[in-house]
Amino acid sequence: MRRHLPFPLVCLAAIGATFVVLPVVALVIRAPWGDLGDALAGVGASSAFRLSLEVSLAATALSIVLGVPLAWVLARGSFPGRSVLRAVVVLPLVLPPVVGGLGLLYALGRSGVAGRWLHDVLGIQLTFTVWGAVVAATFVSMPLVVIATEAGLRSIDPRYELAAATLGARPSRAMWRVVTPMLAPQVAAGAVLAWARALGEFGATITFAGNLAGRTQTLPLAVYEARQTNPGGAIFLSLILVAISIVVLVAMRRHLTGGR
């Protein structure tokens, strides 16, 4: 079947592949390779890269800590409104990031619904801080952990837990000793995808945490700023993000293609 694909189908596939590949090739062609060092130094690449790693790793950790229990409740629990809760949890995947950032601003900003209490009572301000960037990245990346974990839980036969219970294991022990080891690959896959999503976050971050160099300016925000003043630096920063994305996709190919 693969040797006799219809010619129109092959043509459309070639156009689609070219449409995706051409922008990446254009970045490689237009990059001023002779001025690599000066271009990266002019956009503060090291600071933006370090901050991006810190923010994305912290967001991934938060996504796991909050997303795995949430996925467990959605997969194993039975309560009114579960479908609505699931829809709300995955909403950031389809919500425009700027809209998400605006929602975070009115919810957790200094004068927001919950942010006012955080500031007045606990003295915590999230906006225009590195933790604000972490919150924004977590908001858009946590659904990936929830989806992967819930899918993994639904693929695990509940009879394993029943067998552990008949052997005297308490529910918590069965969860940690039986289910968690089988669920670990799905959680890891969700975590890697969440990390990649957090690393590339732009809209929610710039809306909620701002674009402060050395403070909240991650790689995507540095690309946005450098595009106007240092196009060469913007291209190199973009290629860094492209390279990281390719590495993640290659590492996750088995999970994305069903093992092919």
Side-chain angles (χ1 to χ4, degrees), residues 12-145:
L12 292 174
I15 294 173
T18 303
F19 177 72
V20 175
V21 173
L22 185 59
V24 178
V25 174
L27 286 174
V28 175
I29 294 175
R30 295 299 298 271
W33 296 103
D35 300 325
L36 175 61
D38 293 337
L40 289 178
V43 295
S46 60
S47 174
F49 185 71
R50 174 188 55 80
L51 189 60
S52 292
L53 285 180
E54 293 174 354
V55 169
S56 60
L57 290 174
T60 302
L62 273 177
S63 297
I64 294 173
V65 170
L66 301 177
V68 172
L70 183 54
W72 215 297
V73 169
L74 291 173
R76 292 287 193 260
S78 179
F79 53 90
R82 184 176 63 171
S83 298
V84 176
L85 177 60
R86 181 182 293 108
V88 173
V89 167
V90 301
L91 182 63
L93 290 180
V94 297
L95 196 68
V98 174
V99 176
L102 193 63
L104 289 173
L105 187 64
Y106 285 117
L108 300 175
R110 186 170 179 176
S111 58
V113 175
R116 183 190 301 273
W117 179 84
L118 288 174
H119 181 267
D120 295 341
V121 177
L122 301 178
I124 298 175
Q125 179 177 336
L126 294 175
T127 51
F128 306 110
T129 66
V130 64
W131 284 108
V134 172
V135 168
T138 303
F139 178 78
V140 301
S141 61
M142 189 176 71
L144 294 169
V145 174

